[in-house]
């Protein structure tokens, strides 16, 4: 069966696996699957430099028969790398069997909020996405804005992700008040009405209910973690809570 993030009966429960070595990565994958994860998200930049190579990528991406979502953000072991080098890593992920590769919305032109409109950078992004597609992988384009922005701004970013060839649009904003949280919930419906591709719309800040119920109102997946440790993102809910939410919401 082909691994994919684009064909599903209900939003996919994806466990984000963050570790600095392959064995810990595998242990978290095992625990995630036992807790109901339907896909694995791997933040590969967390691996120590000695583990960032083709052999390890192939080993980890093939460890499960579930779809694998791989990131290579500018942090951790990628600190100091150019965006061109990060792009080469994404191509290598696709070559080594990653199902879904995360292309930052500002790759080749770093910007606050991870979204660029620079024409040269956009052209290079589209070329990168095309290369990843030709290797058989899917693309999620991500913009981590990390603050509240208007519905018009969110929709503009998402439509640009779509136009650049992404298969999934990922936008992370914020909400510090109930008014902002309610607006973010409305934005989910706006994205449903205007996008032709799946999307993942998340929110940080004090009001982050989107991370728990977003997939029940339009987002294509849940993101969670198997357990809390020094690497896990505190804003991401535990898998056991996500599975309970999905069960009760349905």
């Amino acid at each position: 069966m082909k691994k994919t993030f684009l064909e599903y009966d209900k939003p996919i429960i994806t466990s984000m696996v963050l570790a600095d070595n392959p064995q810990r990565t595998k242990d978290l994958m095992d625990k995630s699957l036992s807790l109901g994860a339907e896909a694995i998200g791997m933040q590969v930049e967390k691996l120590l430099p000695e583990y960032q190579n083709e052999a390890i990528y192939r080993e980890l991406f093939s460890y499960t028969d579930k779809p694998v979502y791989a990131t290579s953000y500018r942090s951790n072991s990628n600190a100091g790398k150019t965006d061109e080098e990060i792009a080469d890593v994404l191509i290598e992920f696709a070559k080594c069997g990653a199902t879904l590769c995360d292309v930052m919305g500002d790759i080749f032109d770093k910007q606050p909020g991870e979204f660029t409109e620079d024409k040269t950078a956009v052209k290079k992004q589209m070329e990168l996405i095309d290369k990843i597609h030709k290797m058989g992988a899917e693309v999620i384009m991500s913009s981590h804005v990390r603050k509240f922005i208007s519905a018009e701004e969110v929709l503009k970013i998402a439509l640009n992700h779509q136009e650049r060839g992404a298969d999934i649009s990922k936008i992370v904003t914020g909400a510090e008040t109930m008014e902002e949280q309610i607006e973010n919930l409305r934005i989910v419906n706006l994205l449903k009405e205007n996008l032709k591709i799946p999307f993942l719309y998340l929110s940080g800040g004090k009001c982050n209910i989107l991370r728990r119920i977003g997939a029940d109102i339009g987002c294509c997946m849940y993101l969670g973690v198997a357990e809390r440790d020094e690497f896990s993102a505190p804003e991401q809910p535990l898998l056991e809570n996500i599975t309970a939410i999905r069960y009760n919401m349905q």
Side-chain angles (χ1 to χ4, degrees):
M1 181 181 294
K2 180 180 182 290
K3 295 182 180 181
T4 180
F5 279 85
L6 303 179
E7 298 172 10
Y8 50 88
D9 296 324
K10 51 190 174 183
I12 301 168
I13 296 176
T14 302
S15 178
M16 296 307 296
V17 173
L18 292 76
D20 65 2
N21 67 84
Q23 188 55 55
R24 174 62 174 162
T25 300
K26 291 177 182 178
D27 291 344
L28 284 172
M29 291 168 74
D30 288 337
K31 183 170 185 179
S32 298
L33 297 173
S34 72
L35 290 170
E38 298 159 345
I40 298 294
M42 205 176 296
Q43 288 196 225
V44 184
E45 71 275 6
K46 301 290 186 183
L47 290 173
L48 293 170
E50 58 262 38
Y51 299 122
Q52 295 205 24
N53 57 69
E54 182 176 328
I56 295 296
Y57 300 156
R58 289 188 183 278
E59 178 184 346
L60 294 178
F61 298 158
S62 65
Y63 185 72
T64 175
D65 62 355
K66 303 296 184 183
V68 176
Y69 161 25
T71 77
S72 186
Y73 296 144
R74 295 187 181 100
S75 59
N76 300 96
S77 293
N78 278 343
K81 286 184 180 178
T82 66
D83 282 6
E84 285 73 17
E85 289 172 321
I86 289 175
D88 288 341
V89 171
L90 294 174
I91 293 170
E92 192 168 25
F93 289 169
K95 174 184 174 183
C96 292
T99 312
L100 181 69
C101 298
D102 192 314
V103 174
M104 296 176 291
D106 68 340
I107 195 168
F108 306 122
D109 180 40
K110 185 177 180 181
Q111 296 291 327
E114 284 185 6
F115 176 68
T116 181
E117 295 182 86
D118 178 82
K119 291 182 179 179
T120 300
V122 169
K123 182 175 182 293
K124 292 170 71 175
Q125 288 179 1
M126 295 174 73
E127 290 170 349
L128 172 60
I129 290 170
D130 186 55
K131 288 177 182 177
I132 293 171
H133 280 156
K134 285 179 177 176
M135 303 199 78
E138 299 161 356
V139 172
I140 182 169
M141 179 164 271
S142 62
S143 292
H144 293 77
V145 182
R146 300 195 186 283
K147 65 179 182 179
F148 179 78
I149 57 175
S150 69
E152 291 74 22
E153 291 174 285
V154 174
L155 184 58
K156 175 184 176 180
I157 293 171
L159 288 172
N160 271 273
H161 288 176
Q162 178 176 280
E163 290 169 6
R164 293 172 196 182
D167 301 292
I168 300 172
S169 171
K170 177 184 177 184
I171 302 173
V172 183
T173 61
E176 299 298 333
T177 67
M178 188 55 65
E179 288 79 9
E180 290 177 347
Q181 177 156 266
I182 291 170
E183 178 66 359
N184 277 341
L185 294 174
R186 186 184 74 84
I187 289 171
V188 173
N189 195 61
L190 184 69
L191 293 172
K192 284 172 63 177
E193 291 177 341
N194 289 276
L195 283 185
K196 297 177 181 177
I197 61 172
F199 63 88
L200 176 57
Y201 183 49
L202 301 171
S203 174
K206 294 179 182 178
C207 302
N208 54 18
I209 196 172
L210 269 180
R211 290 189 176 271
R212 287 154 181 80
I213 68 166
D216 291 291
I217 58 175
C219 295
C220 66
M221 72 175 85
Y222 303 85
L223 292 186
V225 293
E227 61 182 58
R228 302 282 183 210
D229 63 16
E230 69 272 24
F231 290 103
S232 64
E235 66 270 18
Q236 289 175 344
L238 292 169
L239 289 177
E240 58 191 88
N241 294 333
I242 289 177
T243 54
I245 289 169
R246 187 168 77 172
Y247 175 80
N248 284 293
M249 290 289 280
Q250 294 178 352

